[in-house]
Amino acid sequence: MRHLLSSASIRQYDKWSLVSSHAKKPALVCASKHTKSAVKLQCTSRGSSNRTIQLLLFQQFRPAKRGKLLITRADSFGTLSERLNSAWSALKDEDDLSVENISLPLKDIRRALLEADVSLPVVRRFIKSVEEKSIGVKVTKGVSASQQLTKVVADELCELMGGFGGDKLIFRKEGEGPTVILMAGLQGVGKTTACGKLALFLKAQGKQSLLVATDVYRPAAIDQLKKLGEQIDVPVFELGTDFSPPDIARSGVEKAKLENFDVVIVDTAGRLQVDEMLMAELLATKAATRADETLLVVDAMTGQEAASLTAAFNDAVGITGAVLTKMDGDTRGGAALSVREVSGKPIKFIGSGEKLDALEPFFPERMTTRILGMGDVVSLVERAQVAVKEEQANLMRDKILSATFDFNDFLSQLEMMGKMGGMGGL
């Protein structure tokens, strides 16, 4: 959105810095100590005395490379984290937690969860549970009352999303044939891409996967899966569009048995839960493959609707878990907090980006620390282990200790950090 500002409006900003000296039009960034917003100002009439200044507001910004414009990064739990942190400040230091002193923080927490698009019944049960477990709790010596309440909320959030540890994929034992994973969901939620991400994830664990293309309805769906298979070096089985999806899936599983694949990932066509014919086809495909896992791919941007969708698919087909995609967008987090409570089925994976390596297992305790703004140190360490080899780390350590660390080494470390993702994700 563009706004026209007067010179008086601009004077409220205290710091100015040039961010694009090589652009055709000079771009400036100003930051105010009174607000958290950042702005990009651009002069549109260079020779005029009455210059019109256009203002673009951003909630967050990061310094761009020289000659490039600013790029904003969405944070799926950013707003929720801020609202919860403000709720703790409403609780003054007390000797214990009581109905009187937690009523205001609980109102703020309720409002924060509703604004995050968490299902209303889930919010009511959550607040009631937090209230029951908070009242009468003695504040530990050396710990503030707000920290004590944070501990109770953190435990309940973790329990709401499935409890400590999360739910993992169930694999068949050696000699029992390949594990079959059936991927289902609506149109446009990212099922085909999720299949490629999952295949790459399992490949990193040493499991050989076979992708099976059964989407005979969407144009170029089979070609898309074949392209993804080429990128990650995973074979794709397809019979074109002349055979039915159950027959294609059955043939794919037979091929996997003959060639000793560990996992078969079946990509299905998108369908609505009210389409009886396509739901029957999905049920037939599941029966033909004897699927061990039936994962529903859900767009996290649908909010609390993702939970009811998961419940509907579970009633119709019988699923074992959900995969939340587009968690790197401005989803507000409502889906992650509602799916397990409403549908009774766990979230097993979350997609955190468009790249094929942007898939990670869902751990409720790690998601809880993200929501509460505490950071996810365990996931950060796991990313570092993948991006930075032990030999490289030892070499850098020796160079630092021997005072031979130079700018080339510094550049290589920056490249390692780049492999771990953006700073917002870290």
Side-chain angles (χ1 to χ4, degrees):
M1 184 180 294
R2 297 178 182 268
H3 303 269
L4 297 181
L5 290 184
S6 64
S7 58
S9 302
I10 298 172
R11 279 198 293 271
Q12 65 175 310
Y13 295 94
D14 308 298
K15 296 180 181 179
W16 299 77
S17 60
L18 182 67
V19 296
S20 184
S21 59
H22 291 270
K24 292 183 179 179
K25 296 179 181 180
L28 296 174
V29 165
C30 58
S32 171
K33 63 183 179 183
H34 304 295
T35 63
K36 292 183 179 179
S37 62
V39 298
K40 180 174 77 70
L41 298 175
Q42 194 172 55
C43 299
T44 56
S45 57
R46 191 169 281 201
S48 174
S49 58
N50 298 321
R51 292 184 177 181
T52 300
I53 297 180
Q54 295 178 328
L55 174 67
L56 284 77
L57 292 175
F58 296 104
Q59 287 186 339
Q60 295 180 350
F61 76 98
R62 65 179 181 87
K65 293 181 179 180
R66 182 177 295 178
K68 293 187 178 181
L69 297 179
L70 294 176
I71 302 174
T72 59
R73 297 299 183 195
D75 183 2
S76 57
F77 291 110
T79 304
L80 178 59
S81 299
E82 290 178 7
R83 294 302 301 269
L84 289 178
N85 286 332
S86 65
W88 314 137
S89 61
L91 183 63
K92 299 179 180 179
D93 289 336
E94 303 284 350
D95 293 332
D96 56 14
L97 301 177
S98 63
V99 177
E100 292 76 17
N101 59 26
I102 68 171
S103 60
L104 185 57
L106 286 183
K107 285 182 180 179
D108 291 338
I109 294 172
R110 182 187 292 108
R111 189 179 299 112
L113 292 174
L114 289 174
E115 289 180 356
D117 203 17
V118 181
S119 174
L120 179 58
V122 174
V123 174
R124 287 174 175 167
R125 288 193 292 268
F126 177 81
I127 294 297
K128 183 179 179 181
S129 180
V130 170
E131 186 175 14
E132 290 175 351
K133 294 184 179 181
S134 299
I135 295 175
V137 174
K138 295 291 182 181
V139 177
T140 306
K141 186 177 181 180
V143 176
S144 66
S146 61
Q147 291 171 333
Q148 194 78 48
L149 181 59
T150 302
K151 171 68 168 59
V152 177
V153 172
D155 291 342
E156 286 303 306
L157 279 175
C158 183
E159 191 64 29
L160 180 68
M161 292 184 286
F164 187 85
D167 293 81
K168 300 178 178 61
L169 293 177
I170 300 175
F171 296 99
R172 292 185 185 180
K173 296 180 181 179
E174 190 174 351
E176 295 182 356
T179 300
V180 180
I181 302 175
L182 188 66
M183 306 289 279
L186 303 180
Q187 295 94 337
V189 297
K191 287 185 305 302
T192 303
T193 304
C195 289
K197 289 180 178 181
L198 183 57
L200 182 60
F201 175 82
L202 295 175
K203 182 179 180 180
Q205 294 186 339
K207 295 188 180 295
Q208 188 179 9
S209 301
L210 175 66
L211 292 168
V212 178
T214 68
D215 187 353
V216 298
Y217 305 106
R218 179 167 65 90
I222 297 175
D223 293 335
Q224 181 188 358
L225 191 64
K226 290 168 65 176
K227 191 70 175 178
L228 291 173
E230 291 175 4
Q231 292 179 22
I232 60 178
D233 194 23
V234 171
V236 177
F237 177 82
E238 54 94 9
L239 293 176
T241 58
D242 297 330
F243 293 85
S244 67
D247 291 338
I248 298 173
R250 186 185 297 108
S251 300
V253 173
E254 292 298 326
K255 174 182 174 65
K257 289 179 181 178
L258 293 174
E259 300 183 13
N260 295 320
F261 282 92
D262 299 312
V263 181
V264 177
I265 301 173
V266 182
D267 178 33
T268 63
R271 67 203 72 220
L272 293 172
Q273 68 270 31
V274 294
D275 191 326
E276 296 182 0
M277 184 182 73
L278 287 179
M279 292 301 285
E281 178 189 90
L282 181 63
L283 198 58
T285 304
K286 180 181 178 181
T289 58
R290 296 182 180 179
D292 303 280
E293 294 274 0
T294 304
L295 300 181
L296 180 68
V297 183
V298 182
D299 185 347
M301 299 187 74
T302 57
Q304 59 178 293
E305 181 61 26
S308 56
L309 177 67
T310 306
F313 264 82
N314 182 53
D315 294 339
V317 181
I319 64 173
T320 58
V323 178
L324 281 185
T325 61
K326 306 177 185 176
M327 282 295 290
D328 55 322
D330 186 17
T331 63
R332 297 184 292 175
L337 294 172
S338 302
V339 166
R340 179 61 180 256
E341 183 71 11
V342 174
S343 68
K345 295 300 176 181
I347 301 171
K348 295 202 173 185
F349 292 94
I350 57 174
S352 54
E354 296 181 1
K355 294 183 179 180
L356 290 176
D357 59 354
L359 183 75
E360 56 187 79
F362 181 81
F363 292 98
E365 67 276 11
R366 300 186 190 180
M367 191 61 67
T368 298
T369 58
R370 293 188 196 180
I371 294 172
L372 296 179
M374 300 174 183
D376 184 0
V377 178
V378 178
S379 295
L380 177 61
V381 171
E382 289 178 349
R383 286 193 191 184
Q385 289 175 339
V386 173
V388 183
K389 303 302 180 184
E390 186 177 356
E391 297 80 9
Q392 293 175 314
N394 292 334
L395 178 62
M396 291 298 172
R397 181 198 60 196
D398 295 339
K399 286 195 171 188
I400 292 174
L401 292 176
S402 61
T404 58
F405 186 87
D406 57 20
F407 278 108
N408 289 325
D409 299 320
F410 179 66
L411 179 60
S412 65
Q413 285 202 328
L414 291 179
E415 291 173 349
M416 291 179 192
M417 288 182 62
K419 294 178 182 178
M420 295 171 62
M423 292 303 294
L426 296 179

